[in-house]
Amino acid sequence: MHLVRYQLPGGRPQAGVRTGDTVAPVLGFTELAELLRLTADDLRAAVGKLGDEVPVSDVRLLPPLDGRGEVWCAGVTYERSRGARMEESSQQDVYDKVYSAKRPELFLKSPAWRLVTEGEPIGIRSDSGHDVPEPELAIVANAHGEIVGFTICNDLSSRSIEGENPLYIPQAKVFAGGCALAAGIRPAWEVADPKDLTIDLVIRRGADEVFTGTTSTAKLVRGLQDLIDVLFVPNDFPDGVILATGTGIVPELDFALQAGDVVEIAIAEIGTLTNTVAVGREPF
Ligand code: DO4
Ligand code: MG
């Protein structure tokens, strides 16, 4: 099962559960934020009480975060990411050091309202020139800092802007269409070992597969609860938070996304996320 947000034609967004090809509302709850204010045990009980099912083809699926929810990202958590940053950057040291430092790299990627989800366009910056998708396992934590689920995040990134100077990371990482989440959250109690999941990335350009890559969350150097604990030390997340755990797949430097590319991410047991690339606004 997946926790979802959905909308019937003309209706309001509703928190629900998707099972196969149907969705059903969680009785007594409208926003996902209300569910993420519950403890993990109470959430599990709540999603057992559902209203009438409707076919998923009758609804629009929405990004699985609302209210004051935020998406954060961890960076340089896989050896591959450390290597790729050191190759692209004018400041190699910072990436080398953060990979093994006690404090992880964490950054605010997106408020709930700016997210896109399955089937919606993803953006690349028109003033960038070198852009890649970053397919990442994303942790869903409730307001109490408990891990209650997992989804997929595409942490789209400008390699040229970040490579020029790491102080430009917020501009390399935060822009319209730059953060996509899969349309469902797999509850944590259904995922036997989140540190042993295969992640696949395929990028299609017309009829061609122009990039394929695969990794496993077993290669992630940080503990999942450790990352959440660091995030919660100075912050409250009253409506829950999603933390993407970093990428272990980075194309070689000669690859860059183009408008019209189709980016497909699959994470075993969690789901899939497919979007088409669009170029954003005019350069400033
Ligand atoms: O250090 C920059 C960001 C790295 C990142 O997003 C990742 O490793 O996934
Ligand atoms: Mg990333």
Side-chain angles (χ1 to χ4, degrees):
M1 71 142 90
H2 287 84
L3 305 180
V4 292
R5 292 177 60 240
Y6 67 94
Q7 213 170 0
L8 283 158
R12 294 178 57 187
Q14 172 66 48
V17 167
R18 178 178 181 171
T19 313
D21 289 335
T22 61
V23 289
V26 180
L27 288 178
F29 295 86
T30 304
E31 289 195 346
L32 194 66
E34 298 167 51
L35 289 166
L36 294 180
R37 279 177 221 139
L38 302 176
T39 63
D41 287 344
D42 287 348
L43 171 69
R44 192 167 179 173
V47 300
K49 295 177 195 138
L50 301 176
D52 293 339
E53 290 177 351
V54 293
V56 73
S57 52
D58 287 0
V59 306
R60 176 176 169 212
L61 291 171
L62 303 170
L65 197 65
D66 54 18
R68 293 163 292 175
E70 295 169 350
V71 175
W72 285 65
C73 287
V76 200
T77 51
Y78 289 77
E79 212 176 343
R80 172 65 191 136
S81 182
R82 176 181 62 171
R85 305 304 150 208
M86 289 178 69
E87 206 181 352
E88 83 200 7
S89 183
S90 61
Q91 306 291 325
Q92 302 187 339
D93 249 27
V94 294
Y95 298 98
D96 197 25
K97 282 183 180 152
V98 81
Y99 180 72
S100 48
K102 180 163 179 262
R103 182 186 293 281
E105 179 197 358
L106 298 177
F107 56 92
L108 178 58
K109 176 77 178 175
S110 181
W113 65 264
R114 194 183 278 133
L115 293 167
V116 299
T117 191
E118 176 69 26
E120 296 178 334
I122 45 175
I124 52 175
R125 293 185 61 130
S126 57
D127 58 353
S128 166
H130 191 184
D131 308 274
V132 286
E134 293 191 356
E136 307 188 8
L137 176 71
I139 304 165
V140 183
N142 64 16
H144 311 278
E146 297 174 296
I147 295 177
V148 294
F150 299 96
T151 188
I152 301 172
C153 178
N154 186 349
D155 169 26
L156 284 128
S157 303
S158 162
R159 293 189 78 177
S160 42
I161 294 176
E162 180 179 342
E164 188 178 339
N165 187 327
L167 292 177
Y168 293 153
I169 282 180
Q171 295 177 73
K173 294 283 192 179
V174 181
F175 45 88
C179 187
L181 293 182
I185 295 170
R186 187 92 197 262
W189 58 87
E190 293 190 351
V191 183
D193 185 0
K195 288 292 290 279
D196 188 21
L197 303 177
T198 301
I199 303 180
D200 289 302
L201 169 66
V202 178
I203 304 173
R204 299 181 200 281
R205 189 165 292 157
D208 299 328
E209 252 180 31
V210 288
F211 179 83
T212 60
T214 189
T215 190
S216 165
T217 56
K219 295 184 179 168
L220 176 58
V221 293
R222 305 274 179 179
L224 301 181
Q225 189 66 54
D226 294 344
L227 289 171
I228 292 294
D229 289 347
V230 176
L231 190 61
F232 272 74
V233 166
N235 291 306
D236 290 324
F237 297 100
D239 291 347
V241 64
I242 293 186
L243 174 60
T245 54
T247 187
I249 303 175
V250 186
E252 296 304 324
L253 271 174
D254 60 2
F255 177 86
L257 283 175
Q258 294 178 8
D261 285 355
V262 177
V263 178
E264 296 175 7
I265 302 170
I267 303 187
E269 298 183 47
I270 308 302
T272 57
L273 172 61
T274 303
N275 305 91
T276 301
V277 174
V279 178
R281 302 176 190 161
E282 291 302 302
F284 63 86

